[in-house]
Amino acid sequence: MTGDDQLEESEQGEPLPDGGAAGADDVALDPWGSSSVSDYRKLFEEFGIEEFDAVLEEVPNPHYLMRRGVIFGHRDYRPVARALQNDEPAAVLSGFMPTGDPHIGHKLVFDEIIWHQQQGADAYALIADLEANSARGMSWDEIDEHARNYLLSLLALGFDPEAGELYRQSANREVQDLAFELGAEANFSELQAIYGFDGETDVSHMQSVVTQMADILYPQLEEPKPTVIPVGPDQDPHVRLARDLAERMRFFKVSEAYASFELEPVERDLVAEFHERLEPAEFDDDTLRCVHVAEALEEAPLSELGIAADVLRSVLTKLTEAGMEPIRPRTRFSDRRATEEAFDALIDAIDGEKRVYENHIDAFEIDRDEAEELARQVEVDTGGYGFRPPSSIYHRFMTGLTGGKMSSSIPASHISLLDDPEDGYNKVKSATTGGRETAAEQREKGGKADECPVYELYAYLLAGDDDEFAKRVYDECVGGERLCGDCKEQAAQLMKEFLEEHQEKREDVADLLEAAEIELESPRRQ
Ligand code: TRP
Ligand code: SF4
């Protein structure tokens, strides 16, 4: 937690093939730990990350990382996919801690940002210099050097700095101000529960957390819009907190209600069910009233209701007290953080029948979605942010070339985007494979492409957009037609060419970087 761990970047860790069950106990989502994910299924089951495949159909021109399942999970990506589909405003943002050289794991995130930019999203990439300094103890000089290398690679891969925005946390005043405001909505116990902070955690480290929250919401300062944060699954705790804070900053909460008083969600479901079930025609003046629902509830056996006895007691009390008040479905706007001006503006903005209470307004002729839009619009018009909860997509961690984790402390395990192309070639040549003991055995049984770091290189990078090529490598491998020696030679050659080309492009974009608006040198010295 303290950041002295050597496994710095979010791309490191050990992946398992689909549904791999080994080591299923080890699911740690720790942004500053040795991000290792041994069972992706647990992320779906325990953390509520959804499978990316389920939204793939809604994505226009999906990137190959999406098509090949390298991007395996998401939170709430649909609004982003729809916005891209309909040419509506959307944004993409991710951040990089400048703790070392950018490597092929970071390239996944660069590609994800660039792809979204090409699909029409506003694109943001930031250098997390405050986090690198506070959580990793990097000096400002080191940070500047690494930051430059990240940015050159990002531009070389196709990020358009004129259409998009690059910034460093420390130099972005708006981010700092937003971080301060968001900090008022989170307290120490919460950070302790999420990140394991304790009495020894320094305050700057905590500040870097609220800064990241502000980074994530920054694209929405101009106007609320669907925003995706492409990251490794180790960053999911940050995403969840940012989604919570976005919600807590809202002026109004929209919900469904049946009467003037508040019901807990389980209580509301119960009343909703009886509202469906009971016929108003059966009652005097054709009106279903609170007492009627209370009577019906009292007659129903508890076992049939499927709720706890105290829930029943509580809902009965509320209904009985309300007595003859009619049960009528309505959309409720509850005041969460609204100013008086905003509350009054909302009253005016609601069309049709409405009732105004001390802390909420009930509307009878507006559905839930319309109400959400209205609440957001009024909030924005009266000086609020109106944030939409940010979405995220998650990519798999790459396996180290030496097996196990890809780690920046083990040079042979990863390929840096700055590696001499010849070194890149040699690293691939000496990589471990999913091959068999002997060529004869490989011909007979086929290789284990699913467990092979070299196959990963093809799928994640070397095959580029060419699905057929990636599939051919796979099929030939598992079919026993491909032997590891030749396969690695081909991969090593492709890697060498990739690095040569990438490094040339890095030189070409140096001027572009100079012209970009990001500060390349920190005024801080230490
Ligand atoms: N915490 C991220 C990392 O460790 C860096 C980061 C800072 C970031 N701000 C962000 C990532 C906003 C995504 C979005 O790499
Ligand atoms: Fe890996 Fe290629 Fe060997 Fe198959 S043939 S196991 S993909 S190195």
Side-chain angles (χ1 to χ4, degrees), residues 433-435 442 447-449 452 454-455 473 477 482-484 487-488:
T433 70
Q442 177 115 343
K448 292 186 255 182
C452 177
V454 178
Y455 176 67
V473 172
C477 169
R482 191 173 258 269
L483 297 184
C484 297
C487 183
K488 287 209 278 188

Side-chain angles (χ1 to χ4, degrees), residues 93 124-127 129-130 165-180 207 211 214-219 221 517-519 523-524:
L93 171 140
Y124 299 78
L126 66 102
I127 297 297
D129 59 349
L130 295 182
E165 182 174 338
L166 302 171
Y167 70 87
R168 54 196 294 156
Q169 289 176 323
S170 64
N172 190 328
R173 179 72 217 195
E174 283 177 287
V175 163
Q176 292 305 314
D177 288 348
L178 180 57
F180 181 83
Q207 192 185 337
T211 303
D215 289 331
I216 292 175
L217 295 171
Y218 177 64
L221 282 187
E517 253 170 61
I518 186 167
E519 267 181 53
R524 294 166 177 76

Side-chain angles (χ1 to χ4, degrees), residues 31 253 315 322 324 395 405:
K253 182 183 171 65
V315 70
M324 293 303 281
H395 59 77
K405 293 173 190 171

Side-chain angles (χ1 to χ4, degrees), residues 10 93-95 97 126 128 131 169 212 215-216 229 231 235:
S10 43
L93 171 140
S94 197
M97 252 212 284
L126 66 102
E131 186 181 359
Q169 289 176 323
Q212 178 157 355
D215 289 331
I216 292 175
I229 313 298
V231 277
Q235 297 290 305

Side-chain angles (χ1 to χ4, degrees), residues 237-353:
H238 289 306
V239 171
R240 269 181 289 161
L241 179 58
R243 288 173 61 82
D244 278 353
L245 293 179
E247 166 109 4
R248 283 179 219 164
M249 295 294 282
R250 296 298 309 279
F251 282 8
F252 305 103
K253 182 183 171 65
V254 173
S255 59
E256 277 149 18
Y258 288 86
S260 60
F261 47 92
E262 283 297 336
L263 293 169
E264 296 297 324
V266 260
E267 300 173 343
R268 191 175 51 228
D269 291 347
L270 202 59
V271 173
E273 196 186 316
F274 278 78
H275 172 259
E276 284 275 299
R277 215 195 275 180
L278 299 171
E279 275 298 327
E282 288 170 22
F283 303 99
D284 296 344
D285 68 17
D286 293 347
T287 308
L288 177 65
R289 295 172 191 278
C290 290
V291 280
H292 301 141
V293 175
E295 281 160 16
L297 270 170
E298 270 171 331
E299 278 163 25
L302 192 60
S303 60
E304 205 178 88
L305 295 175
I307 50 158
D310 58 335
V311 173
L312 181 61
R313 220 173 304 124
S314 151
V315 70
L316 277 177
T317 309
K318 291 179 186 175
L319 290 166
T320 314
E321 275 173 10
M324 293 303 281
E325 183 184 331
I327 295 277
R328 278 180 70 195
R330 64 200 68 196
T331 305
R332 173 158 300 162
F333 298 84
S334 306
D335 180 354
R336 201 196 257 124
R337 269 177 129 250
T339 54
E340 216 172 296
E341 181 206 355
F343 195 76
D344 291 344
L346 181 61
I347 297 172
D348 286 345
I350 295 172
D351 280 337
E353 188 184 347

Side-chain angles (χ1 to χ4, degrees), residues 147 205 465 467:
H205 193 174
D465 209 37
D467 286 348

